[in-house]
Amino acid sequence: MGKVSFDISGKVAVVTGGAGILCSAMSIKLAEFGAKVAVLDLFKDKAQEVADGIVANGGDAIAVECNVLNKESIEKACKEVMDKYGRVDILINGAGGNKKEATTSEDMKFFDIPKDALSWVLELNFLGTVMPTQVFGKVMADQGDGCVVNISSMAAFTPLTKTISYSAAKAAISNFTQWMAVHFAKEYSNKIRVNAIAPGFLLTQQNYYLLIDKDTGEATPRGEDVLFKTPMNRYGEPDELVGGVIYLASEAASFVTGIVLPIDGGFLAFAGV
Ligand code: NAD
């Protein structure tokens, strides 16, 4: 038996959407566990704040501007990461999200949802995961090792009401996670692993308007449903996603590829009755 190690210290982690609520928490924690973190985001100034915070706490991080939907931008970001750290051990495809215009509501019937909104959500989540994997995955293929962690969602297992494109895009991410895991292992190296986490419900910008009534601050009927359907009867905290990511990124998961790990307070296990 080899040693079981959760140690990620010294590994280079690239986090897309790293200035966001979940992925900034992830970047900070990965750095606390000794990883060198490249915080990639569309908004460089926000990524810089995250990186500065990490460095101020004695960690190692850089902020890099990157649009996950633009190959040139990703390649430029990859060059910056390689110039600074020389390799890529972990890619976390965190950029993603939903938007109101692609969500059914009293004001937005399914029949009227604009194509632009549908495509925006599909592209950001799905292509925004595939394209950085093309660029940083190439580095991993050249190295012969590496590990990708995608961010799926509960919406991938059974679609959530209202969020049509988001559910489809996250299902596509889970599917891509399996596809890519097999492709890397068969075509390049069985030391390149691809997995995903599927967070349950966390209160963040993308879902706040759906879960909390902006006038009263109380749970909306949908918010009540979410809490009922989550056996732990609470929302998750961003830091609660980190353990799963560290597990997947470490040697402890050396025989794990192509899985989607729910981190959901039991949401997926509960049929609702
Ligand atoms: P967030 O909006 O706080 O963060 C997303 C980040 O991605 C932002 O910093 C944004 O600037 C960046 N971004 C957007 N478009 C980009 C682009 N084209 N290129 C590069 N960066 C871009 O979102 P979050 O709530 O922290 O979610 C992070 C991930 O977790 C998303 O994939 C989301 O779908 C997923 N997720 C969230 C929840 C939840 O409950 N909030 C649940 C399941 C999954």
Side-chain angles (χ1 to χ4, degrees), residues 182-198:
V182 173
H183 189 72
F184 270 138
K186 290 273 193 193
E187 306 280 335
Y188 295 96
S189 162
N190 65 5
K191 290 194 169 63
I192 306 175
R193 300 179 297 104
V194 184
N195 294 292
I197 60 166

Side-chain angles (χ1 to χ4, degrees), residues 51-73:
D52 288 348
I54 290 172
V55 172
N57 279 323
D60 192 343
I62 51 168
V64 183
E65 185 176 329
C66 177
N67 178 355
V68 293
L69 296 175
N70 180 318
K71 193 91 179 266
E72 273 174 32
S73 168

